Amino acid sequence: MTEYLEFSFKIAPLQPWSEILMAELIEIGFDSFTEELDGILGYIPEESFNENSLKSLPLMSAPEVKISYTYQQMPNINWNEEWEKNFSPINIEEKVLIRAEFHEPRPDLHEIIIQPKMSFGTGHHPTTHLMIQQMLDMDFTDKKVLDMGCGTSVLAIYAKQRGANEVTAIDIDEWSVENSIENAERNSVQLNISQGTAESLGAESYDIILANINRNILISDIPTYVSVLKDKGQLLLSGLCFFDVEDILQVCNEQGLKLTHQQQREEWCSLLLEK
C-alpha cells in the first residue's frame, strides 16, 4: 500500500488562497485535502514528493499571502474508503446530480455516477461546478468533443449523455485514466480515453473542447486547442481565478477566439469562447 505524507499548511489570510493553493498542489502530486480553520491538510504519496517543487509554487512566494507548513508520514490508509466517507452528492441547479453508487438516486435529476478515488473532478471544486453549469446551456447533439485534463471524466460523461457523437478524454495522470475508464462503464457511455497532454493531439478536429486545468497549462496549450477546434467551435475553460482572466483572454484574443460567456463562483471563473 502506498505510503503517504500529511502536510499541514497554515494560510493567512485563508480566503481566497486556500482554494488556489490546493489547485497548485494538485499539479505537483497532492491528491486529497481536508479544510481546517486556519489552513488545509494535504496528502501526497511519499514517492511523489519533491520539496523543491513545493517551495517553487507561485503562491509560496506571493506577497499577498503567508503560508507555512509542517509534514509527517501517515500510517497506511485505505484512501478509497476515505473518499467514500467524505464524498457527498453534488446538486447543480436542481438539474444535474453527481453522486456515487452508494448514494440515494434522484430520478427527477440528470445523474452522473462516479467513484472519484484520487482523481480530480467530483464537482465539489467550484471549477468543475462551473464547467457543468456552462454545459447546461450548450448543444452537444452529434458533436465531437474533447475533454482535456479529464480527471474523473465527469465532464466527458456528461457531454456524451447530452448527445455528443464522439468524446475523447485525455489526462496526464495514469490514475485518472484508469478511473475514467471505470466511470465511463458505470454510466454506460463510450469514451475514447487515453493518457497524454496537448502534445498528444493529432490531426483530429473537434466541435467542443473542455479544459478545466490551470492558468499556466492553459496559456501554454490554448494555441494547440485552437489548432484542433473547428470553425465556429466552442472552447470552455476553467481552473482560473478571477485575476487570471485578463491574461487568458489576451491569449485567446491573439488566437482569434471570441468570449461569449463568463461565469464566476467564489474566486473561480469559467470562460466560454468561440472560434
Side-chain angles (χ1 to χ4, degrees), residues 19-269:
E19 289 277 3
I20 299 169
L21 179 60
M22 281 190 278
E24 292 190 356
L25 291 171
I26 286 170
E27 295 304 314
I28 62 169
F30 283 76
D31 52 31
S32 54
F33 303 96
T34 300
E35 296 187 69
E36 303 273 279
L37 291 176
D38 58 353
I40 58 173
L41 298 178
Y43 301 90
I44 185 172
E46 187 170 11
E47 62 186 18
S48 302
F49 176 59
N50 182 306
E51 191 151 22
N52 289 332
S53 297
L54 176 59
K55 290 180 177 179
S56 298
L57 291 178
L59 208 59
M60 299 301 288
S61 58
E64 302 90 347
V65 58
K66 182 178 180 181
I67 300 173
S68 61
Y69 66 87
T70 58
Y71 66 93
Q72 63 179 348
Q73 190 175 54
M74 292 291 291
N76 288 335
I77 291 175
N78 185 325
W79 288 98
N80 291 338
E81 288 183 6
E82 292 300 307
W83 267 112
E84 288 198 8
K85 292 177 186 176
N86 296 295
F87 177 41
S88 56
I90 303 97
N91 186 328
I92 300 174
E93 295 190 4
E94 285 296 321
K95 295 179 180 178
V96 176
L97 184 73
I98 303 171
R99 68 172 180 88
E101 291 169 322
F102 52 84
H103 293 135
E104 282 293 320
R106 283 283 305 271
D108 56 318
L109 301 181
H110 182 115
E111 292 191 326
I112 305 170
I113 301 171
I114 64 170
Q115 175 69 25
K117 293 189 176 178
M118 293 300 187
S119 302
F120 180 76
T122 62
H124 289 89
H125 194 275
T127 59
T128 309
H129 198 286
L130 282 167
M131 293 289 283
I132 296 285
Q133 276 187 302
Q134 292 255 38
M135 291 170 71
L136 289 171
D137 298 321
M138 296 170 64
D139 180 13
F140 288 89
T141 306
D142 297 327
K143 299 293 176 63
K144 192 171 180 179
V145 179
L146 171 65
D147 181 5
M148 285 299 304
C150 59
T152 60
S153 274
V154 63
L155 304 180
I157 291 167
Y158 186 49
K160 188 67 175 178
Q161 290 174 334
R162 289 280 307 280
N165 180 45
E166 182 180 341
V167 181
T168 297
I170 298 176
D171 200 287
I172 194 171
D173 179 40
E174 182 180 357
W175 189 270
S176 290
V177 172
E178 294 174 3
N179 189 217
S180 291
I181 293 170
E182 295 169 359
N183 288 330
E185 291 175 354
R186 283 188 179 90
N187 291 273
S188 301
V189 299
Q190 179 65 47
L191 305 178
N192 303 320
I193 303 166
S194 63
Q195 185 175 1
T197 65
E199 295 179 357
S200 311
L201 298 176
E204 297 284 336
S205 57
Y206 302 90
D207 299 293
I208 298 173
I209 298 177
L210 312 169
N212 181 20
I213 308 182
N214 67 52
R215 173 191 182 277
N216 292 337
I217 292 178
L218 290 177
I219 286 176
S220 173
D221 290 351
I222 283 171
T224 303
Y225 300 157
V226 173
S227 72
V228 297
L229 186 63
K230 295 179 181 179
D231 288 340
K232 304 298 181 182
Q234 294 175 297
L235 175 62
L236 179 58
L237 306 175
S238 195
L240 311 168
C241 292
F242 63 90
F243 49 75
D244 295 324
V245 170
E246 185 176 346
D247 291 339
I248 294 294
L249 287 180
Q250 180 178 339
V251 176
C252 290
N253 290 336
E254 291 170 356
Q255 296 297 316
L257 296 171
K258 180 179 71 172
L259 179 66
T260 59
H261 188 66
Q262 178 174 335
Q263 200 157 330
Q264 184 165 339
R265 182 178 177 85
E266 299 171 11
E267 67 270 20
W268 300 91
C269 290

